[in-house]
Amino acid sequence: MRKFLLIPDSFKGTMSSGEICSIMEDAIINNYPDAEVISIPVADGGEGSVDAFLKAMGGEKVTVTVKGPYFEDMEAFYGVIDQGKTAVIEMAACAGLPLVEHNPDPSKTTTYGVGQLIMDAIHRGCSKIIMGLGGSCTNDAGTGAAAALGIIFTDTAGNAFIPVGGSLKDIAKVDISKLLPELKDIELITMCDIDNPLFGETGAAYIFGPQKGATPDIVKELDAGLKHIDQVVQKDLNLSLANLKGAGSAGGMGFGMVAFLGSSLQMGIETVLDTVKFDEMLTNVDYVLSGEGKIDTQSIRGKVVIGIANRTKKANVPLIAIVGDIGDGIEEAYEKGVSGIFSINRVAVEFKDAKKRARQDLYLTVDNVMRFIKRIDER
Amino acid sequence: MRKFLLIPDSFKGTMSSGEICSIMEDAIINNYPDAEVISIPVADGGEGSVDAFLKAMGGEKVTVTVKGPYFEDMEAFYGVIDQGKTAVIEMAACAGLPLVEHNPDPSKTTTYGVGQLIMDAIHRGCSKIIMGLGGSCTNDAGTGAAAALGIIFTDTAGNAFIPVGGSLKDIAKVDISKLLPELKDIELITMCDIDNPLFGETGAAYIFGPQKGATPDIVKELDAGLKHIDQVVQKDLNLSLANLKGAGSAGGMGFGMVAFLGSSLQMGIETVLDTVKFDEMLTNVDYVLSGEGKIDTQSIRGKVVIGIANRTKKANVPLIAIVGDIGDGIEEAYEKGVSGIFSINRVAVEFKDAKKRARQDLYLTVDNVMRFIKRIDER
């Protein structure tokens, strides 16, 4: 009996990782009706990440009342996996862009609720917290979450306040002495797949501000605020993190998670693979199937497929990559451990048309590879 | 040591069969440096067919002075293979469209030279003749070739003449009593991959006349001529062939080859496979690679890839199809013996752009499949 392990990234804007798993499984069962198929939908840290972890590992969804983007009370959630030891939080649950659909303004919104979710997970007894960034409506550099966990930001007059994007510039001092003491015993991992620094042309405000509703003037203000909080952190915490890769993710949340809460930033796929104990799962697996919307030279520098290849190679399990487009110059992927790369482009059409056929083409492409494997195995 | 047999159809308008063989071989050797690779470029009957047979089997190219499209003397050629036993003729050598580039007129051109090539091959001692249709500038229903071999066409006044497209209507009688007697001991096979009947809306004149330079009026005249020659053949030879599949190929040459010369019409790929003794060649072959510009439900009804699949399936050799587009509903191809079908479409672009990348994409696609096979074999 064959054993297959499916762990595809989403095809961004086309199919979710879970949907891809389901289509791949159908195509496998069409050829190997008795096969054992294990699906691991890949969380990218954004909306749906908690569900992806719960689907892959089982666990419980916890609902908590916390502050929303405008400090309003709201119901948010996080996931508890690994026999209650690990919490998975997606910041979008209480600081997500869909929550401010009608009045987005990253100069006014807070990540305070995210801090409350962390607090709740700690009080529940979790010793490890995985934080998913992505899909945020905030630009507060994580100061809101930090404030919720006890960090005190004061202005020049010495008054404590909870900063938002527009008031980062008013922070004169940051005091971490009242930070929730339990945090130091918690393993806090932040999933982060983007490289942007905190501020500047490629920073959080200029790159992601506009899609969160910031006008050019507000972008400028937000960027100045991020620059300012970096100086305060340098002065008071003796940390220089503005150019840390990913500091600029989620409106500076990447920066804040590291600066205020002592988190590590980790590639999302590595977090997923570690969390699901991927290396152990590979035992007796005949084929791993992964994939992503496009494999290109950028993917080779550490996205989903290559992250998985590093591990399947060590375990000597063939890795089949099913992708949308195959970019030029990706031969290195084979050296890294990918056994075969198959595009779902079955007819020569533009992406806008290919997208409409994606589900069918994915099924047929996996079906073809399965038929082929079966034929070679039978020889 | 692995042994590969390559037998791709051309990707029409993009790459010739020979070119595809060469690219496939490079990609195979990149992965299996010691592999034995046998290439069989597939002749389709048109221009280049003689060279394809010579390349696949070795042999000799014979040059002969014969009549060209306008009865002018010209140098044409045919191939002799199989220790001199078999001649391969492409009618385009002396009745091809490029020969009348500046004055095409299918109402005036002749296949007389094609008959002379057949005669020369017979006098040289060939016992089998393979005739390739395709790329012709004529619409004489093969009457020119027939005349060159002794058949007498007479008008109502009893005068013998050599008909052309425009004078088919003048034929009152066809007399086969003076046909070159050696012909009856010759195995004469006409390669023909199209289904068109002799005349009518889907006949030779209406479908292929315009691309040979016929105006709408001439098309009408040609069609009437084809209808007329069919009636004469019915009357004098007691044969009703107008609806024979392929009768309308090459300006009615398919019809004439059967009616006047007693040829059989055969799928091009079957002719190639028989001629190269494909079944014997399969001995010890690990993989056969074929391909075509598009595999679709039409291909499944008997084009190159499926023709090959019929044989590889019996011999239990895996058949890998490398194609341009993969049409919908082609799952039957697997049942017919295709082991895997891989499109060279690596990025989602329209055909006009895909075409420019075809050579590179073909190489990379075959390279990927080879890497994959190797990986699975090594497991």
Side-chain angles (χ1 to χ4, degrees):
Chain A
M1 200 189 71
R2 292 275 177 228
K3 187 171 169 184
F4 294 87
L5 199 162
L6 316 181
I7 182 164
D9 198 1
S10 63
F11 284 21
K12 294 258 166 15
T14 305
M15 291 176 285
S16 72
S17 177
E19 202 172 358
I20 292 169
C21 283
S22 157
I23 293 170
M24 283 180 163
E25 179 165 355
D26 287 348
I28 291 168
I29 296 298
N30 185 41
N31 290 280
Y32 293 96
D34 300 328
E36 183 183 352
V37 181
I38 302 168
S39 289
I40 307 174
V42 173
D44 64 0
E47 216 180 329
S49 291
V50 169
D51 285 339
F53 272 102
L54 291 176
K55 190 164 175 194
M57 300 188 65
E60 193 190 340
K61 205 164 183 172
V62 177
T63 305
V64 198
T65 300
V66 296
K67 297 293 176 192
Y70 284 106
F71 294 92
E72 76 281 19
D73 282 332
M74 69 170 289
E75 286 233 312
F77 62 89
Y78 60 96
V80 176
I81 56 176
D82 206 13
Q83 289 92 45
K85 278 182 254 157
T86 303
V88 181
I89 300 174
E90 55 188 58
M91 73 178 286
C94 57
L97 203 47
L99 301 174
V100 297
E101 205 177 355
H102 302 295
N103 53 344
D105 184 349
S107 72
K108 299 207 173 81
T109 46
T110 185
T111 57
Y112 192 89
V114 184
Q116 293 178 290
L117 291 177
I118 294 175
M119 173 105 65
D120 196 86
I122 293 172
H123 288 157
R124 170 174 285 268
C126 296
S127 57
K128 180 175 174 178
I129 295 174
I130 295 169
M131 173 64 62
L133 308 187
S136 74
C137 65
T138 55
N139 198 85
D140 73 352
T143 52
L149 289 162
I151 289 187
I152 300 162
F153 299 92
T154 46
D155 62 18
T156 45
N159 297 319
F161 73 111
I162 302 170
V164 291
S167 59
L168 288 175
K169 65 177 190 307
D170 303 327
I171 302 173
K173 189 164 172 260
V174 53
D175 171 8
I176 61 167
S177 63
K178 301 288 188 298
L179 179 63
L180 186 72
E182 292 92 330
L183 251 178
K184 69 171 185 299
D185 299 322
I186 302 288
E187 186 188 359
L188 185 54
I189 295 171
T190 301
M191 297 170 69
C192 179
D193 288 347
I194 68 164
D195 287 348
N196 302 69
L198 184 61
F199 59 83
E201 273 177 30
T202 57
Y206 277 100
I207 300 297
F208 304 108
Q211 71 202 40
K212 297 178 184 182
T215 61
D217 280 350
I218 292 183
V219 164
K220 225 167 160 182
E221 181 195 2
L222 294 174
D223 190 64
L226 293 170
K227 197 167 179 179
H228 179 77
I229 185 67
D230 173 52
Q231 287 166 343
V232 175
V233 164
Q234 287 192 43
K235 169 176 69 74
D236 292 344
L237 307 184
N238 198 25
L239 288 169
S240 178
L241 300 171
N243 288 316
L244 185 72
K245 281 186 178 177
S249 61
M253 188 72 176
F255 171 88
M257 290 297 294
V258 178
F260 307 127
L261 307 182
S263 177
S264 60
L265 298 187
Q266 198 180 57
M267 293 293 302
I269 185 62
E270 294 303 323
T271 310
V272 171
L273 294 175
D274 287 345
T275 304
V276 302
K277 298 189 174 61
F278 186 73
D279 297 340
E280 293 171 29
M281 292 181 89
L282 282 177
T283 312
N284 297 323
V285 165
D286 294 290
Y287 294 96
V288 173
L289 272 74
S290 184
E292 54 198 11
K294 177 171 188 174
I295 188 165
D296 54 20
T297 49
Q298 204 182 358
S299 328
I300 290 169
R301 292 199 298 275
K303 290 276 176 76
V304 169
V305 170
I306 300 297
I308 293 164
N310 289 334
R311 307 206 181 197
T312 54
K313 191 180 183 182
K314 276 180 208 144
N316 195 27
V317 179
L319 170 60
I320 300 168
I322 308 288
V323 304
D325 279 1
I326 306 175
D328 294 335
I330 53 81
E331 282 61 41
E332 202 186 332
Y334 298 113
E335 286 156 44
K336 300 240 180 216
V338 182
S339 309
I341 305 169
F342 302 96
S343 164
I344 68 167
N345 293 324
R346 292 166 66 90
V347 290
V349 294
E350 289 179 290
F351 176 64
K352 69 177 166 61
D353 298 318
K355 195 175 160 173
K356 293 176 205 152
R357 313 171 35 109
R359 284 168 183 78
Q360 169 202 335
D361 283 349
L362 171 64
Y363 177 87
L364 293 171
T365 302
V366 177
D367 180 57
N368 180 62
V369 173
M370 289 302 123
R371 288 176 190 267
F372 188 59
I373 288 174
K374 211 175 159 190
R375 180 68 183 80
I376 293 178
D377 272 356
E378 276 169 4
R379 209 175 26 142
Chain B
M1 200 188 73
R2 292 274 178 226
K3 187 171 171 185
F4 294 88
L5 199 162
L6 316 182
I7 182 164
D9 197 1
S10 63
F11 285 20
K12 295 258 166 13
T14 304
M15 292 176 283
S16 73
S17 176
E19 204 172 354
I20 292 169
C21 283
S22 157
I23 293 170
M24 283 180 163
E25 179 165 356
D26 287 348
I28 291 168
I29 295 299
N30 185 41
N31 291 281
Y32 293 95
D34 300 329
E36 183 183 352
V37 181
I38 302 168
S39 289
I40 307 175
V42 172
D44 65 0
E47 217 181 328
S49 292
V50 168
D51 285 339
F53 273 102
L54 291 175
K55 189 164 175 198
M57 301 188 65
E60 194 190 341
K61 204 165 183 170
V62 177
T63 306
V64 199
T65 301
V66 297
K67 297 295 178 193
Y70 285 105
F71 294 93
E72 76 282 16
D73 283 332
M74 69 168 288
E75 285 232 311
F77 62 88
Y78 61 95
V80 177
I81 57 175
D82 206 13
Q83 289 93 45
K85 278 182 251 157
T86 301
V88 180
I89 301 173
E90 56 187 57
M91 74 178 287
C94 58
L97 203 48
L99 301 173
V100 296
E101 204 177 353
H102 301 296
N103 53 345
D105 184 348
S107 71
K108 298 207 172 79
T109 45
T110 185
T111 59
Y112 193 89
V114 185
Q116 293 178 290
L117 291 176
I118 293 174
M119 173 103 66
D120 195 85
I122 292 172
H123 288 157
R124 170 175 284 267
C126 295
S127 58
K128 180 174 174 178
I129 295 174
I130 295 169
M131 173 63 64
L133 309 187
S136 74
C137 65
T138 55
N139 199 85
D140 72 352
T143 52
L149 289 161
I151 288 187
I152 299 162
F153 299 92
T154 45
D155 61 20
T156 44
N159 296 319
F161 72 110
I162 301 170
V164 290
S167 58
L168 288 175
K169 65 176 189 306
D170 303 327
I171 302 173
K173 191 166 171 254
V174 52
D175 171 9
I176 61 167
S177 64
K178 300 288 188 300
L179 178 64
L180 186 73
E182 290 91 332
L183 250 178
K184 69 171 185 299
D185 298 322
I186 301 288
E187 186 187 0
L188 185 54
I189 295 171
T190 302
M191 295 169 73
C192 179
D193 287 346
I194 67 163
D195 287 349
N196 302 69
L198 184 61
F199 59 82
E201 273 177 29
T202 57
Y206 277 99
I207 300 298
F208 304 107
Q211 71 202 43
K212 297 178 183 181
T215 61
D217 280 349
I218 293 184
V219 165
K220 223 168 162 180
E221 182 194 0
L222 295 174
D223 191 63
L226 293 169
K227 196 168 180 179
H228 179 77
I229 184 68
D230 174 52
Q231 287 166 343
V232 176
V233 164
Q234 286 193 44
K235 169 175 71 73
D236 292 344
L237 307 184
N238 199 24
L239 289 169
S240 179
L241 300 173
N243 289 316
L244 184 72
K245 280 185 178 178
S249 61
M253 189 71 175
F255 172 87
M257 290 297 294
V258 178
F260 308 129
L261 307 183
S263 177
S264 61
L265 298 188
Q266 197 180 60
M267 294 293 300
I269 185 63
E270 293 302 323
T271 311
V272 171
L273 294 174
D274 288 346
T275 305
V276 302
K277 299 189 172 60
F278 186 74
D279 296 341
E280 293 171 29
M281 292 181 90
L282 283 177
T283 312
N284 297 323
V285 165
D286 293 290
Y287 294 97
V288 173
L289 273 73
S290 184
E292 55 198 11
K294 177 171 187 173
I295 188 164
D296 55 18
T297 49
Q298 204 180 359
S299 328
I300 289 168
R301 291 199 298 276
K303 289 276 174 78
V304 168
V305 171
I306 300 298
I308 293 163
N310 289 335
R311 307 202 182 201
T312 53
K313 190 179 183 182
K314 277 179 207 144
N316 196 27
V317 178
L319 170 61
I320 300 167
I322 309 288
V323 305
D325 279 1
I326 306 175
D328 294 335
I330 52 81
E331 281 61 42
E332 202 185 333
Y334 299 112
E335 285 156 44
K336 300 240 180 218
V338 183
S339 309
I341 305 170
F342 302 96
S343 163
I344 68 168
N345 293 324
R346 291 167 67 89
V347 290
V349 293
E350 290 180 291
F351 177 64
K352 69 178 168 58
D353 298 317
K355 194 175 161 173
K356 293 176 203 150
R357 314 171 35 109
R359 284 168 183 77
Q360 170 202 333
D361 283 349
L362 171 64
Y363 177 87
L364 293 171
T365 302
V366 177
D367 180 56
N368 180 61
V369 173
M370 289 303 123
R371 288 175 189 267
F372 188 59
I373 288 174
K374 211 175 159 189
R375 180 67 183 83
I376 293 179
D377 272 356
E378 275 170 6
R379 207 173 30 139

